[in-house]
Amino acid sequence: MKTLPLILTTSIVLFLFTSCEKTDIQLNKTAFTLNIGETETLVATVLPDNEENMTVNWTSSNTAVATVDLHGQVTAKAVGTAIITASIVNKTAKCTVTVIEKAVSIEEPEMIFVEGGTFMFGCTDDECDSLNEFTFEQPAVEKTVKSFYIAKYPVTQKLWKEVMGDFPQGFTESNCGKGNNYPMCCINFIEVQEFILKLNQATGKEYGLPSSIEWEYAARGGNKSKGYKYSGSDNIDEVAWYKENSNGALHPVGQKKANELGIYDMSGNVEEWVGNLWAPKPKSEMYQKRNGSWNSTKFNCRVSAYSATITYFRSTQWGFRLVLPAQEP
């Protein structure tokens, strides 16, 4: 029997060793988290490192949550989880991507404590004789209110943008006065509810719309009320932007005198959605609004005045104000 040369035997052994190394693929990460809109690139390593012409294929288990391109760049699309898979031949490597809502920086509204009490709710002034079937308010009746917190100002455009990220189309196309300190306007009741839901999710609190009774009690000055016709004065020009002094435009919040509790703009500037259905038609989807606006008459800026509107209507004259519950002793 002939013996193979040593050099040839060594070559065969080396060939057999290298040919037995299995092709594999590895990723630089097995899991990571992204905010919506963010991207991150995964790096795939093919083993052994002398492999050539190995094209890596990338796929996502849920493209609605996260997509991946030909180069392994992952883009977060929506809240949820997706599995990113890199594959060659019959080998795969996987990475779990968790997409979360980007944390927002919100400067919460300044709130005023309103101590509960009993007051006369409704028309208490000498203009009650003007009430008729076309006005919503009624002669005054006694009501009792528990303590609560109410926003010092109507919700501003700055706060809306912080919470929602953008303005609705109706606002963008409107001729509202625009700026951080202007009241948010031209939004309907449905959009207001969406805003409150997102604000509460971001803060962990229970913001809401005031009831009509809470709104009027605060506008009258709560238990510090001096019985003014308008919120904070009998002279409307001291406390309100209305038809005769607004120059036909919205104004930044807090430019007029506050009422007895230190609350601003509860007569004029924007009418404010409240959380009450219009009682005569409970299935009408009409919700009450309180306050007058920059385009209202003196009569409609009185603390007892109110109106009602269908939930999906919007106007440059309408905004809203927030409340928070107070812990009762």
Side-chain angles (χ1 to χ4, degrees):
M1 179 180 293
K2 293 183 179 180
T3 302
L4 291 172
L6 179 59
I7 186 169
L8 181 57
T9 304
T10 304
S11 297
I12 292 173
V13 172
L14 180 61
F15 170 77
L16 292 173
F17 176 77
T18 56
S19 64
C20 289
E21 286 189 74
K22 294 182 179 180
T23 302
D24 202 357
I25 185 170
Q26 296 178 355
L27 291 175
N28 62 320
K29 291 185 176 183
T30 58
F32 62 89
T33 300
L34 291 176
N35 293 316
I36 293 175
E38 291 182 337
T39 63
E40 182 159 338
T41 300
L42 287 169
V43 178
T45 301
V46 177
L47 301 172
D49 59 11
N50 61 354
E51 291 285 358
E52 296 180 356
N53 300 320
M54 282 291 185
T55 299
V56 178
N57 295 309
W58 297 91
T59 58
S60 169
S61 66
N62 192 341
T63 55
V65 171
T67 59
V68 61
D69 68 12
L70 297 175
H71 307 289
Q73 184 183 74
V74 179
T75 301
K77 296 292 187 179
V79 173
T81 301
I83 307 298
I84 305 300
T85 301
S87 60
I88 53 167
V89 194
N90 62 345
K91 295 293 182 179
T92 61
K94 298 179 183 293
C95 177
T96 301
V97 179
T98 302
V99 180
I100 61 175
E101 191 84 48
K102 185 176 182 180
V104 292
S105 175
I106 295 175
E107 185 178 341
E108 293 186 52
E110 185 175 351
M111 307 298 287
I112 302 293
F113 178 69
V114 182
E115 186 178 353
T118 300
F119 77 113
M120 297 304 293
F121 170 75
C123 188
T124 59
D125 57 43
D126 56 5
E127 294 190 79
C128 289
D129 292 338
S130 302
L131 301 182
N132 55 53
E133 61 181 324
F134 300 108
T135 57
F136 289 86
E137 63 187 295
Q138 300 295 320
V141 294
E142 187 175 271
K143 296 287 184 180
T144 299
V145 184
K146 293 182 179 180
S147 299
F148 61 97
Y149 290 89
I150 193 166
K152 189 174 185 178
Y153 308 109
V155 168
T156 62
Q157 293 170 26
K158 178 178 183 289
L159 180 57
W160 182 280
K161 184 72 177 290
E162 288 175 350
V163 173
M164 302 298 285
D166 203 354
F167 296 113
Q169 184 177 355
F171 172 84
T172 303
E173 295 176 350
S174 76
N175 60 350
C176 275
K178 292 184 171 67
N180 282 344
N181 292 325
Y182 282 78
M184 187 61 194
C185 68
C186 209
I187 31 82
N188 61 38
F189 187 85
I190 299 167
E191 291 163 338
V192 168
Q193 296 305 310
E194 291 172 352
F195 169 91
I196 291 171
L197 177 62
K198 284 199 170 186
L199 177 61
N200 288 342
Q201 288 173 340
T203 62
K205 296 183 180 179
E206 298 180 2
Y207 287 102
L209 290 177
S211 68
S212 189
I213 295 173
E214 287 173 331
W215 190 97
E216 186 172 324
Y217 182 64
R220 290 185 178 279
N223 59 11
K224 297 181 180 179
S225 177
K226 297 180 179 178
Y228 294 130
K229 180 184 294 189
Y230 310 104
S231 184
S233 178
D234 284 328
N235 179 357
I236 188 172
D237 287 289
E238 289 184 344
V239 294
W241 294 111
Y242 68 113
K243 192 169 187 176
E244 293 180 25
N245 68 2
S246 69
N247 293 319
L250 196 66
H251 288 262
V253 301
Q255 291 190 333
K256 291 290 186 176
K257 177 184 173 183
N259 75 355
E260 298 94 318
L261 294 174
I263 308 169
Y264 291 83
D265 295 293
M266 296 195 85
S267 287
N269 217 5
V270 286
E271 295 181 53
E272 299 177 9
W273 289 103
V274 294
N276 295 78
L277 280 165
W278 182 33
K281 294 185 178 181
K283 295 183 180 180
S284 65
E285 295 188 345
M286 293 181 71
Y287 273 80
Q288 293 181 21
K289 301 189 311 298
R290 302 302 305 260
N291 200 0
S293 76
W294 55 266
N295 194 40
S296 294
T297 63
K298 290 182 179 181
F299 180 80
N300 290 324
C301 288
R302 294 171 303 114
V303 288
S304 60
Y306 75 90
S307 60
T309 303
I310 295 173
T311 55
Y312 53 84
F313 283 8
R314 66 178 79 248
S315 168
T316 58
Q317 300 177 52
W318 306 342
F320 66 108
R321 188 183 302 262
L322 297 169
V323 293
L324 272 174
Q327 295 295 326
E328 291 292 325

